[in-house]
Structure formats: C-alpha cells, structure tokens
Amino acid sequence: MYVDDGIVATNDKKLYDQFLKDLSVEFELSYQGLMAWYLGVQIIQDPANGSTKLTQKQYFKDLLERFGMTGAAPCHTPMEPNTHLRKSDCPKIMDKKFRSEYQRIIGALMYPTGLTQPDLAHAVNQCSKFM
C-alpha cells in the first residue's frame, strides 16, 4: 500500500512516538518536517508557542484570477448578518452561460466554508438558493 500523505496530530509526545513506532512495524515511514500545505490549505505552525494557523489565502487568490475578479474590492463581512435573499433579488434574465458560471463560483466557495472560512457559509447558502 502506498499513501502519499498522512497527518498525525497530538500534544502528547510519548503517544506520538509510540504511534509512529507501531505504524512503522507495518509500513515504511518518512518524516518530512513540519507540514506546510495539505489539500490546498496552508498550515503555519509555530512550535515555540504551540500555535497553528490554517489559511486558504492562495485558494482565494486563484479563485479571483480564475473568475476574472482580481480587481474586486475586499470586504470584511461577506454578507450583512441576517440577510435572507428572495427570488426577486436574483437577476431577471439568467442565460445558460451565466447560470453555469454562477454555479461554478458558488461551488468553488463551498469548499472553504467547511475548512477555514465558516463565516462564508451563510452567504454561500443564500446565494445558492436560487441557482
């Protein structure tokens, strides 16, 4: 069996060492150092103070590029709290090409809502209601 990447996380050094020892009995292991990227998520670790930060900044830069929105103005809140969109808020004319592009954008925004950007979940949910 070949596994490309795996993650082991614990704050118990003894448990960590024993787990790797047990695993190495069955599988060939290699240590690649502190993890920097996993599934498109950048992982910034500071062992000195025990902190770990997850970011998908590059993912969003790539999305802006992909959808031709690199000049878009940033905002702190993806949608005003308690906003609920209605069908009347949707464009009246939505041709097949526009609808397809809109669906791709919404789909691309769903991925980070479950990882690093739960604050986007409500906005993405509201925007996806009338696809």
Side-chain angles (χ1 to χ4, degrees):
M1 175 168 84
Y2 180 79
V3 176
D4 188 28
D5 291 313
I7 299 173
V8 178
T10 180
N11 59 1
D12 185 331
K13 176 80 168 116
K14 202 170 166 182
L15 178 65
Y16 173 80
D17 291 339
Q18 186 61 49
F19 175 76
L20 290 181
K21 182 179 174 187
D22 293 346
L23 198 60
S24 69
V25 170
E26 294 293 324
F27 304 101
E28 182 181 331
L29 304 178
S30 64
Y31 177 70
Q32 302 295 314
L34 291 177
M35 189 173 9
W37 291 89
Y38 193 77
L39 299 176
V41 177
Q42 184 180 14
I43 301 158
I44 303 164
Q45 300 180 67
D46 184 350
N49 71 18
S51 70
T52 301
K53 178 182 176 182
L54 305 178
T55 179
Q56 287 182 286
K57 189 176 182 178
Q58 188 61 48
Y59 180 81
F60 286 104
K61 284 182 179 181
D62 293 346
L63 277 186
L64 290 170
E65 181 78 27
R66 179 173 151 199
F67 293 111
M69 299 178 66
T70 54
C75 66
H76 295 288
T77 306
M79 180 180 273
E80 289 296 321
N82 301 313
T83 298
H84 296 282
L85 299 179
R86 299 176 307 275
K87 190 149 181 90
S88 60
D89 295 318
C90 295
K92 302 297 180 226
I93 300 172
M94 195 181 296
D95 65 15
K96 191 174 181 177
K97 184 179 178 186
F98 178 85
R99 179 181 294 274
S100 179
E101 187 75 357
Y102 185 79
Q103 289 171 337
R104 279 195 288 279
I105 292 169
I106 295 299
L109 289 172
M110 285 182 175
Y111 176 61
T113 64
L115 295 169
T116 61
Q117 298 295 142
D119 58 321
L120 288 178
H122 177 70
V124 172
N125 171 275
Q126 288 298 302
C127 293
S128 67
K129 284 170 58 173
F130 305 107
M131 293 195 315

